[in-house]
Amino acid sequence: MRRRSSLRISGMTSKSCSDSAPADQLLALDNQLCFALYAANRAVTARYRPLLKELGLTYPQYLVMLVLWQQDQNEPAPKVSELGQRLRLDSGTLTPLLKRLEERALIKRTRGAEDERVVRVALTPAGRALRELAVSVPERLMCGLDVDPAQIVSLRDELRSLLEVLEGAEPTAQ
Amino acid sequence: MRRRSSLRISGMTSKSCSDSAPADQLLALDNQLCFALYAANRAVTARYRPLLKELGLTYPQYLVMLVLWQQDQNEPAPKVSELGQRLRLDSGTLTPLLKRLEERALIKRTRGAEDERVVRVALTPAGRALRELAVSVPERLMCGLDVDPAQIVSLRDELRSLLEVLEGAEPTAQ
DNA sequence: TACAATTAAATTGTGCACAATATAAATTGA
DNA sequence: TCAATTTATATTGTGCACAATTTAATTGTA
């Protein structure tokens, strides 16, 4: 059984699926969580962009590098599928992205000897070195931004809870 | 002067831009608001996808339709640039998207008579009719999701505040 | 051992996002 | 008046996302 998210309020099962607000309100763009999420995500990405450009990385490439930088050096290099699980991305997205990182000599892709189907992704020395340039990114991102760090943390946690609920839920019936 | 967002806590200017947590923590994927936002946004979009597929719409197309459905019929049809402002998208994104909606006969793009540069986007009867099918989407999306509506609202408002801060802030120095 | 089923990654095709540039219309100013 | 500038949209090119399919390797099983 999947763990309950903190978004749940005990005894309450979301909204009763029969009650409905006026359609005008339900379909108003600014009432939608989905649009707030969509717009905020792109605004955050846009704010990262110039900083990551200095590193020669796109935003999704940066996320991949974050995973690799966090990897224990003693562990075997992660598989493409493991990166995918972590980032919620499939091979259709990751394969070309990883090829670009390999062209830039930041990573090395190696087909496994034990199992010829898997590809393991390891940092090159250059990829590891890039981390030194990246450490200043989170801080520089926040600099000049008029936000309360505590609220950032709580927003992050609420988003994680939402993600957990969404991933645990049955897919919407088609 | 731009209005202050509620994310701000009086007298507090984000984090002092010199203090720094250990780099291990700063760069940890799961500590990043940006990843929570990125993953949650895609998870929400994925949950919309099967419902929107019934309408023959992609998620960004749905957002455009939300704006058009909300338009006052007595007002002149919105310009491409006005849709862009509302959705934070530029013509490079909107032009092909609107062409696809026009191919589906949901909208009509008309070059302005007063000013030949502007293109106005109006619903066709079919586009207006699609709204009837769309009204059930928000509700069906939430159904079976184990979330507290009040938390959705507060999350939405926090995201709006974040968006406001980001849009008001100076761009990050490159 | 054969061979169907499964698994991992790659490929293909569509549709965003967005930077950079182009085109064409409107406006401004000498 | 008309060249220069500005404005609105379109175009081009790159890089995601993701569905659907393909390829190749492995596993399970008769």
Side-chain angles (χ1 to χ4, degrees):
Chain A
M1 192 58 181
R2 212 164 240 278
R3 184 162 83 71
R4 289 287 179 199
S5 149
S6 64
L7 268 186
R8 186 166 200 271
I9 284 190
S10 133
M12 210 171 161
T13 59
S14 93
K15 74 192 285 182
S16 102
C17 285
S18 47
D19 67 354
S20 51
D24 279 6
Q25 308 245 340
L26 262 181
L27 288 183
L29 183 70
D30 285 329
N31 289 344
Q32 312 269 339
L33 172 63
C34 76
F35 176 64
L37 207 45
Y38 171 79
N41 179 51
R42 285 187 305 116
V44 167
T45 307
R47 194 160 177 89
Y48 269 98
R49 199 170 296 119
L51 299 175
L52 297 181
K53 196 176 181 186
E54 294 176 23
L55 310 185
L57 294 175
T58 65
Y59 184 71
Q61 287 168 8
Y62 172 69
L63 296 179
V64 168
M65 294 302 284
L66 287 185
V67 174
L68 295 176
W69 286 327
Q70 253 194 298
Q71 277 294 312
D72 186 341
Q73 293 267 110
N74 303 321
E75 298 278 312
K79 306 173 184 178
V80 171
S81 56
E82 287 167 347
L83 291 178
Q85 275 171 35
R86 201 85 179 73
L87 298 169
R88 277 78 172 174
L89 293 171
D90 67 8
S91 68
T93 301
L94 283 174
T95 298
L97 186 157
L98 294 172
K99 282 182 178 175
R100 283 186 281 270
L101 288 179
E102 189 170 40
E103 274 170 29
R104 286 206 49 219
L106 295 176
I107 64 166
K108 174 87 179 149
R109 297 184 314 137
T110 319
R111 209 160 269 279
E114 354 64 86
D115 185 337
E116 285 279 341
R117 291 171 304 179
V118 323
V119 168
R120 291 193 177 270
V121 179
L123 288 169
T124 61
R128 220 177 332 274
L130 192 63
R131 188 178 187 283
E132 301 313 311
L133 290 177
V135 288
S136 69
V137 166
E139 173 172 327
R140 288 172 63 203
L141 187 88
M142 297 303 291
C143 267
L145 260 198
D146 197 15
V147 296
D148 173 12
Q151 293 222 27
I152 291 292
V153 169
S154 96
L155 181 53
R156 183 200 66 196
D157 291 343
E158 286 175 64
L159 288 168
R160 285 209 287 226
S161 295
L162 176 63
L163 181 64
E164 224 178 277
V165 170
L166 287 168
E167 291 182 339
E170 295 302 306
T172 47
Q174 220 229 298
Chain B
M1 196 56 182
R2 214 164 240 278
R3 181 162 85 70
R4 288 290 179 198
S5 148
S6 65
L7 266 184
R8 185 165 201 269
I9 284 188
S10 131
M12 211 172 162
T13 60
S14 91
K15 74 191 284 183
S16 101
C17 286
S18 48
D19 67 354
S20 50
D24 279 6
Q25 309 244 340
L26 263 181
L27 288 185
L29 183 70
D30 285 329
N31 288 343
Q32 312 269 340
L33 171 64
C34 76
F35 176 64
L37 207 45
Y38 171 79
N41 179 52
R42 285 188 305 116
V44 168
T45 306
R47 195 160 177 88
Y48 270 98
R49 198 169 296 120
L51 299 176
L52 297 182
K53 196 179 181 184
E54 294 177 22
L55 310 186
L57 295 175
T58 65
Y59 185 71
Q61 287 168 8
Y62 172 69
L63 296 179
V64 168
M65 294 302 284
L66 287 185
V67 174
L68 295 177
W69 286 328
Q70 254 197 297
Q71 277 295 311
D72 185 342
Q73 291 265 112
N74 301 322
E75 298 278 312
K79 306 173 185 179
V80 172
S81 56
E82 287 167 347
L83 292 178
Q85 275 171 34
R86 199 88 179 69
L87 298 168
R88 277 80 173 174
L89 293 171
D90 68 9
S91 69
T93 301
L94 284 174
T95 297
L97 185 156
L98 293 172
K99 282 181 178 176
R100 282 185 282 268
L101 289 180
E102 191 170 38
E103 274 169 29
R104 286 207 48 221
L106 296 175
I107 63 165
K108 173 89 179 147
R109 298 184 313 138
T110 319
R111 208 160 271 277
E114 0 58 89
D115 186 336
E116 284 280 340
R117 290 170 307 180
V118 323
V119 168
R120 291 191 178 273
V121 179
L123 288 169
T124 61
R128 219 179 333 274
L130 192 64
R131 187 178 187 283
E132 302 313 310
L133 291 176
V135 287
S136 69
V137 167
E139 178 172 320
R140 288 172 63 202
L141 186 89
M142 297 301 292
C143 268
L145 261 196
D146 197 15
V147 296
D148 173 10
Q151 293 222 26
I152 292 291
V153 170
S154 95
L155 180 53
R156 183 200 68 194
D157 290 343
E158 286 175 63
L159 289 169
R160 284 210 287 227
S161 296
L162 176 63
L163 180 63
E164 225 179 277
V165 170
L166 287 167
E167 291 182 339
E170 295 302 307
T172 46
Q174 220 227 297

